[in-house]
């Protein structure tokens, strides 16, 4: 369930509960506030937030819980209510990476199950946010994902005749088949791997490299 759908259900059910159980002389003001919050998820389709700022919601929720603890008036219930809502967003947000150039992609979170995205070539697409490892290629380059295998005292690329495991078209959305470890710069000749005590060491370790 996306944050957008969860928000509609959350605020919609709250509107009904407030109307039924809230004191009459305060009901109108509360309903106006909640109606505004109920409309807010319509804007989620155009919102992308860099992941670095995504955990801000966690700290904001903690502040609201603290405010609910110390505020003596009935307004503390709004702080508690919004704190629960913001904290629950952490579990419903979608994740996507966007590649703008020949660099590592920037990670974003989205609150909707579908976003409206405008590429650099001015093409606009509605992009569904489903599953993991989603990446938008916002470049005019065809990109490739190759496997690189490491083993004891050697480094070699995939032993199959076709070394490319995935091709990514320009200005497109793709679900990466494998988690990419290296972007554009060639992978190192030697890597260090760590194993838990008693864990069986595999004959080889595979990493994936994205490049043009």
């Amino acid at each position: 369930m996306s944050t957008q759908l969860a928000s509609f259900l959350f605020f919609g059910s709250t509107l009904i509960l407030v109307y039924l159980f809230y004191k009459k002389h305060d009901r109108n003001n509360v309903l106006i506030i909640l109606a505004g919050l109920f409309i807010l998820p319509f804007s989620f389709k155009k919102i992308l937030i860099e992941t670095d700022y995504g955990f801000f919601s966690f700290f904001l929720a903690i502040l609201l819980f603290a405010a609910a603890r110390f505020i003596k008036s009935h307004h503390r219930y709004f702080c508690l209510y919004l704190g629960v809502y913001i904290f629950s967003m952490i579990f419903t947000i979608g994740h996507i990476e966007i590649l703008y150039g020949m660099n590592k992609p920037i990670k974003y979170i989205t609150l909707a199950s579908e976003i409206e995205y405008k590429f650099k070539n001015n093409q606009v697409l509605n992009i569904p946010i489903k599953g993991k490892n989603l990446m938008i290629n916002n470049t005019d380059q065809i990109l490739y994902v190759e496997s690189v295998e490491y083993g004891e005292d050697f480094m070699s690329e995939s032993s199959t005749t076709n070394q490319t495991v995935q091709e990514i078209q320009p200005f497109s959305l793709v679900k990466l088949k494998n988690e990419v470890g290296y972007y554009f710069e060639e992978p190192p000749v030697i890597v260090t791997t760590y194993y838990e005590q008693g864990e069986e060491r595999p004959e080889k370790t595979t990493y994936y490299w994205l490049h043009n």
Side-chain angles (χ1 to χ4, degrees):
M1 181 185 294
S2 69
T3 304
Q4 188 177 34
L5 177 57
S7 299
F8 282 126
L9 295 175
F10 191 74
F11 292 128
S13 60
T14 305
L15 274 169
I16 297 172
L17 291 173
V18 167
Y19 183 80
L20 292 176
F21 298 108
Y22 217 82
K23 293 180 180 180
K24 187 174 182 180
H25 63 276
D26 287 332
R27 185 184 294 168
N28 290 339
N29 291 334
V30 174
L31 287 177
I32 291 173
I33 294 172
L34 287 174
L37 292 174
F38 181 71
I39 296 172
L40 181 64
F42 284 104
S43 66
F44 287 0
K45 190 174 180 180
K46 296 185 178 181
I47 295 177
L48 282 173
I49 305 170
E50 283 192 41
T51 305
D52 292 340
Y53 304 103
F55 287 102
F56 174 75
S57 59
F58 174 79
F59 298 107
L60 181 57
I62 296 299
L63 289 175
L64 287 168
F65 289 146
R69 171 66 177 80
F70 294 106
I71 293 176
K72 300 301 181 182
S73 70
H74 65 276
H75 295 299
R76 66 179 182 273
Y77 297 115
F78 287 102
C79 294
L80 183 61
Y81 167 79
L82 290 175
V84 171
Y85 167 69
I86 292 173
F87 184 79
S88 65
M89 289 173 61
I90 299 172
F91 304 98
T92 58
I93 56 179
H95 298 264
I96 193 166
E97 297 182 348
I98 303 179
L99 191 65
Y100 295 102
M102 304 298 108
N103 300 295
K104 191 173 182 178
I106 298 176
K107 296 180 179 181
Y108 291 90
I109 59 173
T110 176
L111 308 178
S113 58
E114 184 179 82
I115 62 171
E116 185 180 281
Y117 187 78
K118 184 176 182 179
F119 290 90
K120 288 193 296 187
N121 64 352
N122 293 321
Q123 179 186 11
V124 179
L125 289 179
N126 288 323
I127 296 176
I129 307 298
K130 295 181 180 179
K132 299 180 179 179
N133 298 327
L134 297 175
M135 190 179 77
I136 292 175
N137 177 18
N138 194 9
T139 75
D140 58 0
Q141 300 288 316
I142 298 177
L143 305 176
Y144 305 91
V145 179
E146 289 189 23
S147 60
V148 181
E149 295 178 353
Y150 293 88
E152 188 175 359
D153 298 326
F154 83 99
M155 177 275 200
S156 63
E157 295 190 358
S158 174
S159 58
T160 59
T161 54
N162 185 3
Q163 298 170 355
T164 300
V165 298
Q166 190 169 6
E167 183 176 306
I168 302 171
Q169 296 300 315
F171 304 115
S172 66
L173 169 73
V174 65
K175 181 177 176 62
L176 295 175
K177 297 177 181 177
N178 306 98
E179 185 176 350
V180 175
Y182 303 100
Y183 292 90
F184 300 103
E185 294 183 0
E186 290 192 23
V189 175
I190 299 174
V191 296
T192 302
T193 54
Y194 299 91
Y195 305 94
E196 298 289 339
Q197 187 174 2
E199 183 181 355
E200 183 178 353
R201 181 175 180 178
E203 294 183 1
K204 60 185 179 180
T205 302
T206 304
Y207 291 90
Y208 295 91
W209 171 37
L210 186 148
H211 60 90
N212 59 345

